[in-house]
Amino acid sequence: MNSQLGFKLKILWYFLQYTLRGTFRNRAKLERFQQRKWRKFRRKVLTRSPFYQQLADAHAALGEFPTINKAGFMANFDAINTLGLKQSEAMQVALQAEIARDFSTELKGATVGLSTGTSGTRGLFLVSPTERAQWTGMVLRRVVPLRLFKKQRVAFFLRANSNLYSSVQSASLEFRFFDIFQPIEQLIQALEVFQPHILAAQPSVLGAIAEAQLAKQINIKPQLVISFAEVLNPEDKAFIQKNFSAPLREVYQCTEGFLGVTCAHGTMHLNEDIAIFEKKYLDETRFIPIITDFTRSSQPIIRYELNDILVEKPEPCPCGSCFTALERIEGREDDVLIFPGSNGEMVKVFPDLICRVIARSTDGFRAYRLRQVGALELQLELETEDFQDVASIISNALHVFLQEKGIKGLIIQCKQEIDRKAGEKLRRVEQKIVSK
Ligand SMILES: [Zn+2]
């Protein structure tokens, strides 16, 4: 059997598996399902990982395995992966692929991706063809509505590592990969020619496409818009929806996996049938997810602590799914702002709260970025025509909000225009203080 055909059959196999699985409506049943998956994963995969082998052989419960963060994950790369790959050789292949923009080189049957990550440490991710097929099957099943007799064109905007995504070309779907490191004007022209039925991109790119549509530079009529990879905030969501009369689905996806997707009611649900999400609570509803993914066998992801802050929805979703429902994804734990309070204590301010203050104060801007650069210094970069007015409205609102929290003596510096590099994720609130 040729490998292309084998690959497509695998996608189909996983697609059917996820279809047959249906919707979990019962939490106890889901937890039993997860435990079965976990035991199988421990036996089949973790016994082949030098890092986890001992615990796996001893049938240790998940809670006995160590939690790991990105830095620990990279420091133990050689021992964690099940392919016997060394970090130095994988890094070399990944860097070469980035430079040549050719991601087809395989090492022991796996492609190597580099996560450029914003948190400092560079991550290396291994993906085998089977994992790729599984990922595709899941995404197709959960995100893309299939129409059997009509070919659908899917435009996928991505940074780097095309391999994972550009692999699907079948009777019912045609995937086109748009590299977001190319100038956006060129990409938009190519998109106009392609005329996608489904448009999938990160929010900042969707925003740029919506702007081009508004300015009548292009005229596309997608039937579905998919937002993934970054947090989609309410202003961007409204702007995108205003310019395309198509439903908008959000995918919560990062190098660490396919983590969640919105249901028909617009609620983001965690994919708890492919991963266990332990919750490290920050308050009653906010938590940091710690994930154990059953779909990653080249490089097992076990009790991996993500950098994101998620907010749980208190009431169940009307769709009936028992997968954890999220109110929203707030952003990165790294970006929590910390200020000295009036009594010498440290005051934490979640990025999402700052975004709400800004959104409430005015809508006279297209984009902004707020950075904490010193203990009592914020930098506000704004894209707007009435820079002076908008900047003073927003800084006043922030001063009032932060003073209520006991933070005084704050300096807010405003700057017109955002320094944006091509392909860079726009983080609205950033903590830039280097702690030493
Ligand atoms: Zn739902």
Side-chain angles (χ1 to χ4, degrees), residues 16-55:
L16 288 173
Q17 285 233 308
Y18 291 107
T19 303
L20 291 172
R21 198 174 282 176
T23 307
F24 284 89
R25 291 171 193 278
N26 177 320
R27 194 75 206 172
K29 205 172 150 191
L30 170 67
E31 281 165 13
R32 283 198 299 276
F33 175 86
Q34 287 180 324
Q35 283 306 313
R36 272 205 308 281
K37 286 268 165 193
W38 156 247
R39 286 194 297 269
K40 187 175 167 196
F41 190 75
R42 189 179 58 191
R43 184 179 76 243
K44 291 204 151 180
V45 176
L46 297 188
T47 48
R48 294 189 282 116
S49 158
F51 190 78
Y52 294 117
Q53 191 177 26
Q54 230 178 359
L55 282 165

Side-chain angles (χ1 to χ4, degrees), residues 9 141-142 181 228 266 276 282 305 329 346 399 425 429:
L9 285 174
R141 179 65 196 103
R142 293 265 155 92
F181 284 96
F228 66 95
I276 291 179
L282 302 173
E305 190 170 327
I329 299 162
M346 296 317 258
H399 272 300
K425 280 190 192 180
V429 179

Side-chain angles (χ1 to χ4, degrees), residues 304-325:
Y304 184 104
E305 190 170 327
L306 291 175
N307 224 331
D308 297 338
I309 300 172
L310 309 184
V311 184
E312 233 169 338
K313 218 180 171 72
E315 68 279 359
C317 180
C319 76
S321 163
C322 72
F323 291 175
T324 299

Side-chain angles (χ1 to χ4, degrees), residues 169-212:
Q169 172 91 336
S170 69
S172 60
L173 282 171
E174 182 188 352
F175 267 68
R176 176 78 60 88
F177 163 65
F178 293 78
D179 179 357
I180 60 171
F181 284 96
Q182 304 293 320
I184 189 80
E185 300 78 31
Q186 270 178 34
L187 293 174
I188 284 175
Q189 287 315 317
L191 187 67
E192 163 88 355
V193 176
F194 186 57
Q195 287 294 330
H197 299 102
I198 297 169
L199 172 63
Q202 61 194 80
S204 51
V205 175
L206 287 177
I209 298 169
E211 268 170 31

Side-chain angles (χ1 to χ4, degrees), residues 102-251:
D102 168 11
F103 305 96
S104 58
T105 314
E106 291 191 352
L107 270 180
K108 299 195 180 172
T111 48
V112 187
L114 193 64
S115 78
T116 42
T118 37
S119 53
T121 329
R122 261 195 311 212
L124 277 173
F125 286 88
L126 303 172
V127 182
S128 71
T130 303
E131 289 164 287
R132 200 150 60 229
Q134 193 166 5
W135 182 90
T136 313
M138 284 183 311
V139 173
L140 288 179
R141 179 65 196 103
R142 293 265 155 92
V143 184
V144 182
L146 282 188
R147 302 223 162 73
L148 282 176
F149 302 106
K150 193 169 170 258
K151 189 157 185 154
Q152 301 207 83
R153 289 184 295 275
V154 184
F156 235 119
F157 283 73
L158 292 158
R159 62 170 71 231
N161 202 352
S162 62
N163 257 2
L164 182 58
Y165 312 92
S166 63
S167 45
V168 185
Q169 172 91 336
S170 69
S172 60
L173 282 171
E174 182 188 352
F175 267 68
R176 176 78 60 88
F177 163 65
F178 293 78
D179 179 357
I180 60 171
F181 284 96
Q182 304 293 320
I184 189 80
E185 300 78 31
Q186 270 178 34
L187 293 174
I188 284 175
Q189 287 315 317
L191 187 67
E192 163 88 355
V193 176
F194 186 57
Q195 287 294 330
H197 299 102
I198 297 169
L199 172 63
Q202 61 194 80
S204 51
V205 175
L206 287 177
I209 298 169
E211 268 170 31
Q213 179 97 342
L214 184 68
K216 300 203 160 45
Q217 289 161 356
I218 56 167
N219 183 17
I220 56 168
K221 301 166 203 74
Q223 288 150 15
L224 176 69
V225 178
I226 299 168
S227 151
F228 66 95
E230 294 168 12
V231 178
L232 180 66
N233 60 53
E235 307 97 77
D236 280 347
K237 192 171 177 172
F239 182 71
I240 294 163
Q241 281 185 315
K242 204 170 73 189
N243 287 289
F244 299 111
S245 52
L248 180 69
R249 293 202 83 179
E250 290 171 61
V251 172

